[in-house]
Amino acid sequence: MNPLDATRRLMRDALGDGEICGKCGSRVAGLCRPLDVATLDDVLAEAEHVVFGAREYLFQEGDRAGHVFTLVHGTAKLVRLLPDGREQVLGFRFTGDVLGYTTAAAYPFAAQLLTGATACRLDRPRLDALMRRYPALERRVLDLCVQELAATQEQLVSVGRRTAEARLARS
């Protein structure tokens, strides 16, 4: 059984099958989780829904970081290009996850879709304005950033625990 099936079932039960927001994992676990209906309407009015095919990029490493994406449905991998031309996979993102939120001028990695996907795309200045208007949205962005930091730290600890032989075998 796909682990996302339980999330989809929760969303259907809580939000119905109607509009795009009712089908988005962000309402259960992502950026839009704490938003009331009025706030959600404002966020939806500012967002653009974009459909992507499998293997397409939401953004490339080094592109101007002008948008933030929420996966309405689909799966993406985060990758960084190494100096020798190899690709380093940094992680995976799933339905409801936020991608591309950075304070840098350019994206530090690429986000490539593994499946076809629909994404909710917000211009960064519009998201900043919405966060000023709705403290619950700003708090949720902060919470998601803290969760990402904790997951990264856990991954570093996990890699650091490996023996030299295990690290060599993984490369």
Side-chain angles (χ1 to χ4, degrees):
M1 177 176 169
N2 183 334
L4 295 176
D5 288 343
T7 302
R8 287 188 190 103
R9 198 172 311 111
L10 280 172
M11 289 185 311
R12 267 196 316 274
D13 294 346
L15 305 167
D17 282 323
E19 63 187 71
I20 194 161
C21 291
K23 297 177 182 178
C24 179
S26 185
R27 289 295 286 149
V28 173
L31 186 63
C32 297
R33 179 179 177 191
L35 304 182
D36 60 32
V37 173
T39 305
L40 186 61
D41 284 346
D42 281 355
V43 171
L44 185 58
E46 297 291 334
E48 176 183 7
H49 294 96
V50 185
V51 177
F52 295 92
R55 317 276 315 147
E56 287 188 62
Y57 285 85
L58 291 175
F59 52 85
Q60 294 271 6
E61 180 179 346
D63 285 353
R64 185 182 71 78
H67 295 97
V68 176
F69 299 84
T70 298
L71 285 177
V72 174
H73 75 81
T75 303
K77 68 176 178 177
L78 306 180
V79 295
R80 181 171 277 165
L81 192 60
L82 300 175
D84 64 4
R86 290 182 300 142
E87 209 177 62
Q88 175 69 52
V89 176
L90 304 174
F92 297 92
R93 296 297 178 267
F94 304 97
T95 297
D97 285 342
V98 177
L99 298 94
Y101 185 78
T102 180
T103 58
Y107 295 114
F109 50 80
Q112 183 182 27
L113 293 162
L114 299 175
T115 65
T118 301
C120 202
R121 180 171 66 190
L122 266 169
D123 288 335
R124 179 59 193 269
R126 288 182 179 172
L127 177 60
D128 291 342
L130 286 166
M131 288 191 299
R132 284 191 297 277
R133 199 172 333 148
Y134 301 109
L137 179 61
E138 183 177 42
R139 178 60 196 209
R140 184 64 182 157
V141 169
L142 177 61
D143 289 346
L144 292 171
C145 288
V146 168
Q147 288 173 14
E148 181 74 16
L149 177 60
T152 300
Q153 291 170 338
E154 186 60 34
Q155 185 176 16
L156 286 171
V157 169
S158 174
V159 169
R161 286 183 186 154
R162 294 183 188 144
T163 65
E165 293 84 7
R167 288 194 301 267
L168 182 62
R170 297 279 300 171
S171 57

Short mmCIF file of all heavy atoms in Angstrom, two decimals, residues 49-96:
data_model
loop_
_atom_site.label_atom_id
_atom_site.label_comp_id
_atom_site.label_asym_id
_atom_site.label_seq_id
_atom_site.Cartn_x
_atom_site.Cartn_y
_atom_site.Cartn_z
N HIS A 49 -1.55 27.68 -10.47
CA HIS A 49 -1.47 26.22 -10.52
C HIS A 49 -0.86 25.82 -11.85
O HIS A 49 -1.34 26.20 -12.91
CB HIS A 49 -2.84 25.60 -10.31
CG HIS A 49 -3.35 25.85 -8.94
ND1 HIS A 49 -4.19 26.88 -8.65
CD2 HIS A 49 -3.07 25.24 -7.78
CE1 HIS A 49 -4.43 26.89 -7.35
NE2 HIS A 49 -3.77 25.91 -6.80
N VAL A 50 0.23 25.06 -11.76
CA VAL A 50 0.99 24.69 -12.94
C VAL A 50 1.09 23.16 -13.01
O VAL A 50 1.35 22.51 -12.00
CB VAL A 50 2.42 25.30 -12.89
CG1 VAL A 50 3.17 25.03 -14.17
CG2 VAL A 50 2.35 26.79 -12.60
N VAL A 51 0.88 22.63 -14.19
CA VAL A 51 0.99 21.18 -14.42
C VAL A 51 2.33 20.90 -15.09
O VAL A 51 2.71 21.58 -16.04
CB VAL A 51 -0.18 20.68 -15.30
CG1 VAL A 51 -0.04 19.20 -15.59
CG2 VAL A 51 -1.51 20.97 -14.62
N PHE A 52 3.04 19.90 -14.55
CA PHE A 52 4.34 19.51 -15.06
C PHE A 52 4.32 18.03 -15.44
O PHE A 52 3.61 17.25 -14.83
CB PHE A 52 5.43 19.69 -13.99
CG PHE A 52 5.66 21.12 -13.59
CD1 PHE A 52 4.97 21.67 -12.52
CD2 PHE A 52 6.58 21.90 -14.26
CE1 PHE A 52 5.19 22.97 -12.13
CE2 PHE A 52 6.81 23.21 -13.87
CZ PHE A 52 6.12 23.75 -12.80
N GLY A 53 5.16 17.66 -16.38
CA GLY A 53 5.33 16.27 -16.74
C GLY A 53 6.47 15.65 -15.94
O GLY A 53 7.30 16.35 -15.35
N ALA A 54 6.49 14.32 -15.93
CA ALA A 54 7.59 13.61 -15.27
C ALA A 54 8.91 14.02 -15.91
O ALA A 54 8.98 14.28 -17.11
CB ALA A 54 7.38 12.10 -15.42
N ARG A 55 9.94 14.13 -15.09
CA ARG A 55 11.31 14.47 -15.48
C ARG A 55 11.51 15.97 -15.72
O ARG A 55 12.62 16.41 -15.96
CB ARG A 55 11.81 13.69 -16.69
CG ARG A 55 11.47 12.21 -16.71
CD ARG A 55 12.33 11.24 -15.99
NE ARG A 55 13.75 11.35 -16.15
CZ ARG A 55 14.59 11.05 -15.17
NH1 ARG A 55 14.14 10.62 -14.04
NH2 ARG A 55 15.88 11.15 -15.34
N GLU A 56 10.45 16.78 -15.66
CA GLU A 56 10.61 18.23 -15.79
C GLU A 56 11.16 18.79 -14.50
O GLU A 56 11.07 18.17 -13.44
CB GLU A 56 9.27 18.90 -16.12
CG GLU A 56 8.79 18.66 -17.53
CD GLU A 56 7.57 19.51 -17.84
OE1 GLU A 56 7.67 20.75 -17.81
OE2 GLU A 56 6.51 18.91 -18.11
N TYR A 57 11.70 20.00 -14.58
CA TYR A 57 12.25 20.67 -13.41
C TYR A 57 11.30 21.77 -12.95
O TYR A 57 10.80 22.55 -13.76
CB TYR A 57 13.61 21.30 -13.75
CG TYR A 57 14.72 20.29 -13.86
CD1 TYR A 57 14.95 19.61 -15.05
CD2 TYR A 57 15.53 20.01 -12.77
CE1 TYR A 57 15.97 18.68 -15.16
CE2 TYR A 57 16.55 19.08 -12.87
CZ TYR A 57 16.77 18.42 -14.05
OH TYR A 57 17.77 17.50 -14.15
N LEU A 58 11.09 21.83 -11.64
CA LEU A 58 10.40 22.98 -11.07
C LEU A 58 11.32 24.19 -11.15
O LEU A 58 10.91 25.30 -11.46
CB LEU A 58 10.01 22.73 -9.62
CG LEU A 58 8.93 21.69 -9.36
CD1 LEU A 58 8.75 21.47 -7.87
CD2 LEU A 58 7.62 22.10 -10.00
N PHE A 59 12.59 23.95 -10.84
CA PHE A 59 13.63 24.97 -10.96
C PHE A 59 14.98 24.27 -11.04
O PHE A 59 15.13 23.14 -10.62
CB PHE A 59 13.60 25.96 -9.80
CG PHE A 59 13.61 25.34 -8.43
CD1 PHE A 59 14.80 24.96 -7.81
CD2 PHE A 59 12.43 25.12 -7.75
CE1 PHE A 59 14.81 24.38 -6.55
CE2 PHE A 59 12.42 24.54 -6.48
CZ PHE A 59 13.61 24.17 -5.88
N GLN A 60 15.93 24.97 -11.62
CA GLN A 60 17.29 24.45 -11.77
C GLN A 60 18.21 25.12 -10.75
O GLN A 60 17.98 26.27 -10.36
CB GLN A 60 17.82 24.77 -13.18
CG GLN A 60 17.10 24.07 -14.29
CD GLN A 60 17.70 22.72 -14.60
OE1 GLN A 60 18.60 22.24 -13.92
NE2 GLN A 60 17.19 22.08 -15.64
N GLU A 61 19.25 24.42 -10.37
CA GLU A 61 20.27 24.98 -9.51
C GLU A 61 20.83 26.24 -10.18
O GLU A 61 21.16 26.22 -11.37
CB GLU A 61 21.38 23.95 -9.31
CG GLU A 61 22.52 24.40 -8.44
CD GLU A 61 23.57 23.32 -8.26
OE1 GLU A 61 23.31 22.14 -8.58
OE2 GLU A 61 24.66 23.65 -7.80
N GLY A 62 20.90 27.33 -9.43
CA GLY A 62 21.43 28.58 -9.96
C GLY A 62 20.39 29.51 -10.57
O GLY A 62 20.68 30.68 -10.82
N ASP A 63 19.16 29.01 -10.83
CA ASP A 63 18.10 29.89 -11.33
C ASP A 63 17.77 30.94 -10.27
O ASP A 63 17.92 30.69 -9.08
CB ASP A 63 16.81 29.10 -11.62
CG ASP A 63 16.88 28.27 -12.89
OD1 ASP A 63 17.86 28.39 -13.64
OD2 ASP A 63 15.92 27.49 -13.11
N ARG A 64 17.27 32.09 -10.73
CA ARG A 64 16.82 33.12 -9.80
C ARG A 64 15.70 32.53 -8.93
O ARG A 64 14.75 31.95 -9.44
CB ARG A 64 16.30 34.33 -10.56
CG ARG A 64 15.92 35.50 -9.66
CD ARG A 64 15.37 36.67 -10.46
NE ARG A 64 14.06 36.42 -11.00
CZ ARG A 64 12.92 36.49 -10.29
NH1 ARG A 64 12.94 36.78 -9.01
NH2 ARG A 64 11.76 36.26 -10.87
N ALA A 65 15.82 32.67 -7.62
CA ALA A 65 14.86 32.08 -6.68
C ALA A 65 13.66 33.01 -6.51
O ALA A 65 13.51 33.67 -5.49
CB ALA A 65 15.54 31.80 -5.34
N GLY A 66 12.81 33.03 -7.50
CA GLY A 66 11.68 33.94 -7.49
C GLY A 66 10.35 33.32 -7.10
O GLY A 66 9.37 34.04 -6.93
N HIS A 67 10.30 31.99 -6.97
CA HIS A 67 9.04 31.32 -6.66
C HIS A 67 9.21 30.30 -5.54
O HIS A 67 10.30 29.76 -5.33
CB HIS A 67 8.50 30.57 -7.90
CG HIS A 67 8.13 31.47 -9.02
ND1 HIS A 67 8.98 31.73 -10.07
CD2 HIS A 67 7.02 32.19 -9.25
CE1 HIS A 67 8.39 32.56 -10.91
NE2 HIS A 67 7.20 32.85 -10.43
N VAL A 68 8.10 30.03 -4.89
CA VAL A 68 8.00 28.95 -3.91
C VAL A 68 6.89 28.04 -4.43
O VAL A 68 5.86 28.51 -4.91
CB VAL A 68 7.66 29.50 -2.51
CG1 VAL A 68 7.45 28.37 -1.52
CG2 VAL A 68 8.74 30.45 -2.04
N PHE A 69 7.12 26.73 -4.35
CA PHE A 69 6.18 25.75 -4.88
C PHE A 69 5.65 24.85 -3.77
O PHE A 69 6.39 24.49 -2.87
CB PHE A 69 6.88 24.84 -5.90
CG PHE A 69 7.44 25.57 -7.08
CD1 PHE A 69 8.69 26.16 -7.02
CD2 PHE A 69 6.73 25.63 -8.27
CE1 PHE A 69 9.22 26.83 -8.11
CE2 PHE A 69 7.26 26.30 -9.38
CZ PHE A 69 8.50 26.90 -9.29
N THR A 70 4.40 24.48 -3.87
CA THR A 70 3.82 23.42 -3.05
C THR A 70 3.32 22.35 -4.01
O THR A 70 2.60 22.66 -4.97
CB THR A 70 2.64 23.93 -2.19
OG1 THR A 70 3.12 24.94 -1.30
CG2 THR A 70 2.02 22.81 -1.39
N LEU A 71 3.71 21.11 -3.77
CA LEU A 71 3.25 20.02 -4.64
C LEU A 71 1.81 19.66 -4.27
O LEU A 71 1.54 19.18 -3.18
CB LEU A 71 4.14 18.79 -4.47
CG LEU A 71 5.51 18.86 -5.13
CD1 LEU A 71 6.31 17.60 -4.82
CD2 LEU A 71 5.40 19.07 -6.62
N VAL A 72 0.90 19.93 -5.18
CA VAL A 72 -0.50 19.52 -5.00
C VAL A 72 -0.58 18.01 -5.13
O VAL A 72 -1.26 17.35 -4.37
CB VAL A 72 -1.41 20.22 -6.02
CG1 VAL A 72 -2.85 19.70 -5.92
CG2 VAL A 72 -1.36 21.73 -5.82
N HIS A 73 0.13 17.49 -6.10
CA HIS A 73 0.35 16.05 -6.22
C HIS A 73 1.61 15.84 -7.02
O HIS A 73 1.98 16.66 -7.85
CB HIS A 73 -0.86 15.31 -6.81
CG HIS A 73 -1.03 15.50 -8.28
ND1 HIS A 73 -0.32 14.78 -9.21
CD2 HIS A 73 -1.80 16.34 -8.99
CE1 HIS A 73 -0.67 15.16 -10.43
NE2 HIS A 73 -1.56 16.12 -10.32
N GLY A 74 2.29 14.74 -6.74
CA GLY A 74 3.51 14.42 -7.45
C GLY A 74 4.67 14.18 -6.50
O GLY A 74 4.55 14.35 -5.28
N THR A 75 5.80 13.78 -7.08
CA THR A 75 7.01 13.49 -6.33
C THR A 75 8.20 14.12 -7.04
O THR A 75 8.29 14.05 -8.26
CB THR A 75 7.23 11.96 -6.23
OG1 THR A 75 6.07 11.37 -5.63
CG2 THR A 75 8.45 11.62 -5.40
N ALA A 76 9.09 14.72 -6.26
CA ALA A 76 10.27 15.38 -6.83
C ALA A 76 11.52 14.95 -6.07
O ALA A 76 11.45 14.53 -4.91
CB ALA A 76 10.12 16.90 -6.74
N LYS A 77 12.65 15.05 -6.76
CA LYS A 77 13.93 14.85 -6.08
C LYS A 77 14.70 16.16 -6.11
O LYS A 77 14.61 16.92 -7.08
CB LYS A 77 14.74 13.71 -6.69
CG LYS A 77 15.26 13.96 -8.09
CD LYS A 77 16.13 12.81 -8.59
CE LYS A 77 16.60 13.09 -10.01
NZ LYS A 77 17.50 12.05 -10.50
N LEU A 78 15.41 16.42 -5.04
CA LEU A 78 16.27 17.59 -4.95
C LEU A 78 17.68 17.14 -5.27
O LEU A 78 18.17 16.17 -4.69
CB LEU A 78 16.21 18.19 -3.54
CG LEU A 78 14.82 18.51 -3.01
CD1 LEU A 78 14.91 19.10 -1.62
CD2 LEU A 78 14.07 19.44 -3.95
N VAL A 79 18.34 17.83 -6.19
CA VAL A 79 19.66 17.41 -6.64
C VAL A 79 20.60 18.61 -6.74
O VAL A 79 20.18 19.73 -7.02
CB VAL A 79 19.61 16.68 -8.00
CG1 VAL A 79 18.86 15.37 -7.90
CG2 VAL A 79 19.02 17.55 -9.08
N ARG A 80 21.86 18.32 -6.52
CA ARG A 80 22.92 19.31 -6.71
C ARG A 80 23.93 18.70 -7.66
O ARG A 80 24.29 17.53 -7.53
CB ARG A 80 23.57 19.66 -5.39
CG ARG A 80 24.68 20.72 -5.59
CD ARG A 80 25.20 21.26 -4.32
NE ARG A 80 24.30 22.31 -3.88
CZ ARG A 80 24.31 22.82 -2.66
NH1 ARG A 80 25.12 22.36 -1.75
NH2 ARG A 80 23.49 23.78 -2.33
N LEU A 81 24.39 19.50 -8.60
CA LEU A 81 25.39 19.05 -9.56
C LEU A 81 26.77 19.21 -8.94
O LEU A 81 27.12 20.29 -8.46
CB LEU A 81 25.28 19.86 -10.85
CG LEU A 81 26.04 19.35 -12.05
CD1 LEU A 81 25.56 17.95 -12.44
CD2 LEU A 81 25.87 20.29 -13.23
N LEU A 82 27.54 18.13 -8.95
CA LEU A 82 28.89 18.15 -8.40
C LEU A 82 29.88 18.64 -9.46
O LEU A 82 29.59 18.56 -10.66
CB LEU A 82 29.27 16.75 -7.91
CG LEU A 82 28.37 16.17 -6.81
CD1 LEU A 82 28.77 14.74 -6.49
CD2 LEU A 82 28.42 17.04 -5.57
N PRO A 83 31.05 19.13 -9.04
CA PRO A 83 32.04 19.66 -10.00
C PRO A 83 32.45 18.65 -11.07
O PRO A 83 32.77 19.04 -12.19
CB PRO A 83 33.23 20.04 -9.12
CG PRO A 83 32.66 20.28 -7.77
CD PRO A 83 31.48 19.34 -7.66
N ASP A 84 32.40 17.36 -10.74
CA ASP A 84 32.81 16.35 -11.73
C ASP A 84 31.66 15.94 -12.66
O ASP A 84 31.79 15.01 -13.45
CB ASP A 84 33.41 15.13 -11.04
CG ASP A 84 32.41 14.38 -10.16
OD1 ASP A 84 31.22 14.76 -10.14
OD2 ASP A 84 32.83 13.42 -9.49
N GLY A 85 30.50 16.62 -12.53
CA GLY A 85 29.37 16.35 -13.41
C GLY A 85 28.36 15.36 -12.86
O GLY A 85 27.28 15.19 -13.43
N ARG A 86 28.69 14.70 -11.75
CA ARG A 86 27.73 13.77 -11.15
C ARG A 86 26.64 14.56 -10.42
O ARG A 86 26.83 15.70 -10.05
CB ARG A 86 28.42 12.83 -10.17
CG ARG A 86 29.33 11.81 -10.84
CD ARG A 86 29.96 10.87 -9.82
NE ARG A 86 30.77 11.65 -8.88
CZ ARG A 86 30.87 11.39 -7.58
NH1 ARG A 86 30.23 10.37 -7.05
NH2 ARG A 86 31.62 12.14 -6.80
N GLU A 87 25.54 13.87 -10.21
CA GLU A 87 24.41 14.46 -9.52
C GLU A 87 24.34 13.90 -8.10
O GLU A 87 24.41 12.68 -7.91
CB GLU A 87 23.14 14.05 -10.28
CG GLU A 87 22.01 14.99 -10.22
CD GLU A 87 20.85 14.50 -11.06
OE1 GLU A 87 20.30 13.42 -10.77
OE2 GLU A 87 20.50 15.21 -12.01
N GLN A 88 24.21 14.75 -7.11
CA GLN A 88 24.04 14.32 -5.72
C GLN A 88 22.59 14.53 -5.34
O GLN A 88 22.09 15.65 -5.39
CB GLN A 88 24.95 15.14 -4.80
CG GLN A 88 24.74 14.84 -3.32
CD GLN A 88 25.21 13.45 -2.95
OE1 GLN A 88 26.35 13.08 -3.23
NE2 GLN A 88 24.35 12.67 -2.32
N VAL A 89 21.90 13.44 -4.99
CA VAL A 89 20.51 13.55 -4.56
C VAL A 89 20.51 14.00 -3.10
O VAL A 89 21.11 13.38 -2.23
CB VAL A 89 19.76 12.21 -4.72
CG1 VAL A 89 18.35 12.31 -4.16
CG2 VAL A 89 19.74 11.79 -6.18
N LEU A 90 19.81 15.11 -2.84
CA LEU A 90 19.74 15.67 -1.50
C LEU A 90 18.52 15.19 -0.73
O LEU A 90 18.51 15.20 0.49
CB LEU A 90 19.70 17.21 -1.58
CG LEU A 90 20.85 17.86 -2.33
CD1 LEU A 90 20.60 19.36 -2.44
CD2 LEU A 90 22.17 17.57 -1.64
N GLY A 91 17.50 14.80 -1.46
CA GLY A 91 16.28 14.34 -0.79
C GLY A 91 15.14 14.24 -1.78
O GLY A 91 15.30 14.49 -2.98
N PHE A 92 13.98 13.90 -1.25
CA PHE A 92 12.78 13.74 -2.04
C PHE A 92 11.66 14.56 -1.43
O PHE A 92 11.61 14.73 -0.21
CB PHE A 92 12.38 12.26 -2.12
CG PHE A 92 13.42 11.42 -2.80
CD1 PHE A 92 14.42 10.79 -2.07
CD2 PHE A 92 13.43 11.29 -4.19
CE1 PHE A 92 15.40 10.04 -2.69
CE2 PHE A 92 14.41 10.54 -4.82
CZ PHE A 92 15.39 9.92 -4.07
N ARG A 93 10.76 15.04 -2.25
CA ARG A 93 9.62 15.80 -1.78
C ARG A 93 8.36 15.18 -2.38
O ARG A 93 8.36 14.71 -3.52
CB ARG A 93 9.72 17.27 -2.16
CG ARG A 93 10.90 17.99 -1.51
CD ARG A 93 10.75 18.00 0.01
NE ARG A 93 11.86 18.63 0.67
CZ ARG A 93 12.94 17.99 1.14
NH1 ARG A 93 13.06 16.70 0.97
NH2 ARG A 93 13.90 18.64 1.75
N PHE A 94 7.29 15.21 -1.57
CA PHE A 94 6.06 14.51 -1.91
C PHE A 94 4.88 15.47 -1.85
O PHE A 94 5.02 16.64 -1.48
CB PHE A 94 5.85 13.34 -0.95
CG PHE A 94 7.02 12.39 -0.93
CD1 PHE A 94 8.00 12.49 0.05
CD2 PHE A 94 7.16 11.42 -1.91
CE1 PHE A 94 9.09 11.63 0.06
CE2 PHE A 94 8.25 10.56 -1.91
CZ PHE A 94 9.22 10.67 -0.92
N THR A 95 3.71 14.95 -2.18
CA THR A 95 2.49 15.73 -2.15
C THR A 95 2.38 16.52 -0.84
O THR A 95 2.54 15.97 0.24
CB THR A 95 1.27 14.79 -2.29
OG1 THR A 95 1.35 14.15 -3.57
CG2 THR A 95 -0.04 15.53 -2.18
N GLY A 96 2.14 17.82 -0.98
CA GLY A 96 1.99 18.71 0.16
C GLY A 96 3.26 19.40 0.59
O GLY A 96 3.22 20.37 1.34
#
